[in-house]
Amino acid sequence: MDKLLIVWSTSEIEVAKKMVLLYSSVILPRGYWDQAHLMVWGPSAKLLAENEALQEMVSQIKATGVELSCCVVCSDEYGVTEKLASLGIDMIHTGELLTDALKEEWKVITF
């Protein structure tokens, strides 16, 4: 099974729109991957919580079947945990998920 974990940590809006979220929105519908997970980590959590256009993109990505999670430590530090959870994002300790993905059959890309 082809599995992809995308780790999104940048606070750069153009990278978010034109790479991370654009790619995430098409990877399952086009059959590029069998399973995909978008992980929000660090500054991207704050950016997402404050930007409605990005929130809409994330909602569309979730609708395609891409799994979503966010570093709860980061979101707590930024004060955005509740907001991101309301978007249907799982609030977790992402270090464990990343470590497991690296040790298993997942491909991992970071932005």
Side-chain angles (χ1 to χ4, degrees):
M1 175 179 262
D2 289 328
K3 300 184 282 188
L4 178 66
L5 172 64
I6 300 171
V7 181
W8 171 28
S9 63
T10 183
S11 64
E12 295 177 41
I13 194 163
E14 288 302 309
V15 173
K17 284 182 179 179
K18 302 299 183 191
M19 181 56 210
V20 179
L21 301 180
L22 178 61
Y23 184 58
S24 296
S25 72
V26 300
I27 54 180
L28 293 183
R30 293 185 182 174
Y32 297 163
W33 298 91
D34 298 321
Q35 185 177 353
H37 190 112
L38 175 59
M39 180 186 293
V40 182
W41 200 336
S44 61
K46 184 175 186 291
L47 176 65
L48 179 58
E50 296 174 347
N51 189 297
E52 289 184 18
L54 297 182
Q55 293 168 22
E56 178 58 34
M57 291 178 80
V58 165
S59 176
Q60 293 171 1
I61 289 165
K62 185 172 178 58
T64 71
V66 173
E67 298 169 358
L68 299 165
S69 65
C70 180
C71 174
V72 69
V73 174
C74 298
S75 64
D76 282 349
E77 288 179 4
Y78 289 119
V80 298
T81 300
E82 212 171 287
K83 176 63 180 179
L84 297 180
S86 75
L87 300 174
I89 298 172
D90 293 331
M91 308 311 292
I92 65 169
H93 293 277
T94 49
E96 184 177 344
L97 176 63
L98 177 60
T99 300
D100 289 346
L102 290 168
K103 290 181 176 182
E104 295 174 7
E105 297 178 7
W106 288 77
K107 304 291 188 220
V108 179
I109 58 175
T110 61
F111 297 95

